[in-house]
Amino acid sequence: MSNIRFVDSVNVGAYTVNNGEGGSGSIGINILENVNNYIITATGYPNIIQGEPNLQFNGLNLSIGGNSSGTSRLEVYHTGSIDNLMLIRNTSTNTGIKVDGDGRFQLLEFASLPTPIEGGIVYASNEFYVGI
């Protein structure tokens, strides 16, 4: 038994956790999967939460889709068919960056040239701009 703190739609605070090791009969929350560095999510069932093995955070490194190698602060793993490994965009202007499933980096095109900034890079009207 141990205590874990998380926020849900009803409570904020400490919960008694029953992780399958038996106990003194206290009522707690069952955690599915080994939760060492796993992000915990709801399952839709009362008193049961799930450790997500494909989303891990050890306090310093975040890993999506697999185990962190410990050499990067953010790692995104890809297996199988996927359109985008990473997509960062402004939905109102559809501008930003993406890395596709094959690992190709792409700047999403601006409809018009934004205000330039030093060190900025922009793709607009089939032209590439670098702020110097």
Side-chain angles (χ1 to χ4, degrees):
M1 294 284 190
S2 62
N3 286 325
I4 188 167
R5 298 183 73 77
F6 64 94
V7 178
D8 65 21
S9 62
V10 180
N11 300 300
V12 176
Y15 287 80
T16 301
V17 177
N18 178 352
N19 59 6
E21 297 173 3
S24 61
S26 65
I27 297 174
I29 295 175
N30 291 317
I31 301 175
L32 304 177
E33 301 290 336
N34 178 350
V35 296
N36 187 25
N37 297 333
Y38 290 8
I39 304 297
I40 296 174
T41 59
T43 63
Y45 296 98
N47 300 328
I48 299 174
I49 54 180
Q50 172 76 39
E52 297 295 337
N54 288 316
L55 184 58
Q56 299 179 29
F57 180 66
N58 68 5
L60 190 60
N61 302 315
L62 175 63
S63 173
I64 301 170
N67 291 323
S68 172
S69 69
T71 60
S72 302
R73 296 294 176 248
L74 172 65
E75 294 185 43
V76 180
Y77 292 87
H78 161 59
T79 57
S81 176
I82 189 169
D83 290 337
N84 299 312
L85 285 174
M86 182 174 66
L87 179 61
I88 301 172
R89 69 182 174 114
N90 179 325
T91 56
S92 64
T93 60
N94 200 35
T95 57
I97 62 171
K98 79 173 183 175
V99 177
D100 71 13
D102 293 325
R104 294 175 294 201
F105 177 82
Q106 179 183 6
L107 294 172
L108 301 177
E109 186 170 9
F110 279 79
S112 61
L113 194 59
T115 304
I117 60 170
E118 185 176 333
I121 55 175
V122 173
Y123 177 63
S125 302
N126 292 321
E127 294 184 4
F128 184 75
Y129 297 88
V130 177
I132 304 176

